[in-house]
Amino acid sequence: MHPYPHSASSRHQAAAPRVGVVVVAYNASATLKTVLDRLPPSFAVTVDHVLVSDDASGDGTYEVGIAYKDSSVLPMTVIRHPENLGYGGNQKSGYRWAIERGLDVVVLLHGDGQYAPEVVEDLVQPIVDGSADAVMGSRMMLPGSARAGGMPLYKYVGNRILTTFQNRLTGLRLCEWHSGYRAYRVEALRELPLNSYSDGFDFDTEIILGLHQSGKRILEVPIPTYYGGEICYVNGVKYAADVTRDVVRYRLNQAGLGIGLADETPEAPYELKPSPHSSHGRLLDRLARQAPARILDVGCSDGRFGELLQQQGHSVIGVDRHKYEGVASRLDDFVEADLDHGLPEALTGTYPVIVAADVLEHVAEPAQLLSTLASMLTGDGRIFVSVPNFAHWYPRLRVAAGRFDYDQRGILDRTHLRFFTRRSMERMVRATGLRIVERDVVGTPLNLFTGADEPTRLISLMERMDRRAVRAWPTLFGYQFLYELAAA
């Protein structure tokens, strides 16, 4: 008897949601029929369609698929790519098919029998019940099961090392990144730039990164491990290098040190840097030594920095081109104004303290703005300024390598209109009739770039090394310059 003894009508009666299976196959003629036979009957009566996608195999994989289709009531399509698309390319083809067919859920199944078709419903159910957008079959969830199922020791160790590394850099907590047994909500796939992903084996990593970046819910379920006589086509060293590159690039992009579209809009508030070794931390320390004063915070962003000044006893009037949520409640007063058009009349008068932290690089005419601020100081007033250092080793390397481009944040922030070195900044200060009372320099905010709430031991060590380098060579390792300015 055929393993799917059911009528077409029974399938259609239970056809919602529409679930499809993409079987990626390469030289799988010896295993493909068995893999399809092992699909549970309860799943087979509800599946909308099965696509067998032969990636230009050199054996009879396509012919085995056609023969199975002709003798089965399982709804199937069998295709053979004329040229090998690669593991990732074959998946892209299958997911385009799922999207075009209007499926709700699509399962990725390998034609070599490495993953158990018997548990396919365990992967599908969390998506059907609305608790996940993607479900990964994990061989590592049950302690000892991977080795008991025949996973070679070197693969087990490599899997664990890479998974730990990938979790650390991305903030995910997956038991395994390297299983090829997965189910996806098709609408979630539709939102991803699949065509920009790799055609190689690291496609599986890139799709996890894409799902995570877009805020999709990723769930894991345990699956059995099976290693038989299947041929492995993965170059382990190249694969490890590729997935490492993918997650490092992702982490750098999240930190703002990557080109491309930003994760946040230009209207997003500037991020507060609370570390005592950051520009904001140093400015707060300087202003804590000042007697309580009326402070004009130019480019106040969402007011969080000004709120900390208030806690020191100061009164703070903020001005920014955007009125971010909550800014008015954090400051004593707020004025919405584009600094490129000058300061508004509402801010006329003089101030004993003016703060222009991370501002001058964002305006078209920084010298003009600085001159205007100088005219608003009381006789013994002070302007506190911070600017990024374009001569820092990072932009120097980018320029030297011919790879200058804008990042999502940092020194090469895409919203920066002007760049400064220490020499050019101090020349501008003198030209505006101000003198430097005190200068300071801070290092790279490594903890901010890693996205961690608390620095790890490694990051703390790196920060200490960076601070030593800043002291030794401030114009090369200094990330930002800080100035206390007064009238000449």
Side-chain angles (χ1 to χ4, degrees):
M1 178 179 292
H2 196 278
Y4 306 116
H6 58 269
S7 66
S9 60
S10 64
R11 178 183 299 111
H12 293 311
Q13 289 171 1
R18 299 177 63 194
V19 179
V21 179
V22 172
V23 182
V24 290
Y26 180 69
N27 290 342
S29 60
T31 56
L32 179 59
K33 180 180 182 300
T34 301
V35 167
L36 294 171
D37 282 346
R38 290 166 60 193
L39 286 169
S42 58
F43 178 75
V45 298
T46 62
V47 68
D48 181 276
H49 212 81
V50 175
L51 174 69
V52 175
S53 186
D54 175 21
D55 200 18
S57 297
D59 63 1
T61 297
Y62 177 74
E63 289 75 18
V64 170
I66 290 294
Y68 195 95
K69 173 180 179 295
D70 291 343
S71 64
S72 171
V73 294
L74 186 69
M76 282 181 62
T77 296
V78 182
I79 62 173
R80 183 179 190 275
H81 300 301
E83 296 181 357
N84 186 274
L85 301 180
Y87 174 69
N90 200 6
Q91 284 192 61
K92 293 177 194 178
S93 172
Y95 299 147
R96 284 194 294 268
W97 165 83
I99 292 170
E100 292 167 359
R101 191 174 177 85
L103 298 178
D104 299 302
V105 182
V106 62
V107 180
L108 171 66
L109 183 62
H110 288 210
D112 62 4
Q114 184 179 151
Y115 299 105
E118 292 87 354
V119 298
V120 64
E121 291 167 312
D122 293 345
L123 276 75
V124 171
Q125 190 57 45
I127 300 177
V128 171
D129 66 23
S131 59
D133 298 298
V135 179
M136 311 291 166
S138 173
R139 298 165 292 186
M140 303 292 184
M141 289 188 75
L142 301 179
S145 64
R147 291 286 290 135
M151 180 179 287
L153 180 60
Y154 76 93
K155 287 194 173 184
Y156 175 83
V157 172
N159 190 316
R160 299 296 291 178
I161 291 173
L162 283 174
T163 291
T164 300
F165 173 75
Q166 290 169 293
N167 281 338
R168 180 66 61 86
L169 260 67
T170 62
L172 283 167
R173 295 292 182 268
L174 297 179
C175 296
E176 180 181 11
W177 279 68
H178 309 289
S179 167
Y181 198 10
R182 303 162 173 215
Y184 301 108
R185 186 170 61 86
V186 173
E187 279 303 308
L189 293 180
R190 189 192 297 272
E191 297 176 23
L192 300 181
L194 295 177
N195 288 337
S196 70
Y197 295 168
S198 168
D199 289 334
F201 288 98
D202 60 321
F203 176 87
D204 282 347
T205 285
E206 290 191 317
I207 203 167
I208 292 176
L209 295 173
L211 290 165
H212 181 47
Q213 185 172 16
S214 58
K216 299 298 184 287
R217 298 162 299 170
I218 303 174
L219 186 70
E220 289 182 283
V221 296
I223 59 172
T225 304
Y226 170 76
Y227 274 82
E230 69 276 358
I231 298 174
C232 179
Y233 296 97
V234 182
N235 179 325
V237 174
K238 182 180 185 303
Y239 173 76
D242 288 343
V243 300
T244 298
R245 180 202 62 216
D246 292 338
V247 294
V248 168
R249 180 186 297 162
Y250 170 85
R251 181 61 255 170
L252 290 175
N253 280 332
Q254 293 299 103
L257 298 179
I259 62 175
L261 295 177
D263 300 325
E264 53 188 12
T265 66
E267 289 75 26
Y270 224 59
E271 194 162 3
L272 179 67
K273 299 183 282 288
S275 165
H277 303 293
S278 70
S279 58
H280 288 160
R282 295 280 182 87
L283 289 173
L284 286 168
D285 181 62
R286 294 269 183 92
L287 289 161
R289 304 176 210 162
Q290 300 276 327
R294 180 169 172 260
I295 295 179
L296 175 62
D297 187 0
V298 180
C300 66
S301 187
D302 59 3
R304 296 187 187 277
F305 180 76
E307 188 175 35
L308 295 177
L309 293 177
Q310 281 185 323
Q311 294 173 13
Q312 296 178 354
H314 302 291
S315 63
V316 183
I317 299 93
V319 56
D320 202 285
R321 64 179 297 179
H322 299 296
K323 187 174 182 179
Y324 298 107
E325 183 178 356
V327 64
S329 63
R330 296 186 184 106
L331 305 178
D332 294 281
D333 195 9
F334 171 79
V335 177
E336 187 174 358
D338 187 343
L339 296 176
D340 274 325
H341 298 154
L343 291 172
E345 292 183 1
L347 297 175
T348 55
T350 57
Y351 298 83
V353 176
I354 297 176
V355 175
D358 305 329
V359 171
L360 297 178
E361 63 271 23
H362 292 274
V363 296
E365 298 296 340
Q368 182 177 319
L369 175 60
L370 191 58
S371 180
T372 300
L373 297 180
S375 70
M376 300 174 69
L377 278 179
T378 58
D380 57 350
R382 296 289 188 265
I383 302 176
F384 293 87
V385 175
S386 65
V387 293
N389 173 28
F390 188 71
H392 183 267
W393 62 264
Y394 172 69
R396 285 198 200 196
L397 285 179
R398 287 277 292 270
V399 172
R403 297 179 64 86
F404 176 84
D405 207 330
Y406 290 94
D407 294 332
Q408 296 176 26
R409 69 178 76 171
I411 297 172
L412 298 179
D413 188 313
R414 71 197 185 282
T415 65
H416 289 180
L417 303 180
R418 298 290 183 174
F419 296 112
F420 300 97
T421 63
R422 186 169 70 178
R423 181 176 297 176
S424 67
M425 175 62 191
E426 295 184 4
R427 185 170 59 242
M428 183 178 70
V429 168
R430 290 191 296 270
T432 55
L434 292 165
R435 62 183 173 89
I436 298 170
V437 177
E438 192 172 351
R439 67 165 62 88
D440 198 359
V441 59
V442 296
T444 308
L446 296 171
N447 191 48
L448 182 65
F449 287 145
T450 62
D453 293 331
E454 295 293 334
T456 63
R457 289 184 179 180
L458 176 60
I459 294 300
S460 295
L461 174 62
M462 292 174 64
E463 287 181 331
R464 289 196 298 271
M465 294 173 62
D466 182 66
R467 290 196 292 273
R468 291 192 185 101
V470 169
R471 288 194 293 270
W473 196 342
T475 56
L476 179 64
F477 293 101
Y479 188 78
Q480 284 179 290
F481 295 122
L482 280 62
Y483 294 95
E484 180 180 340
L485 308 176

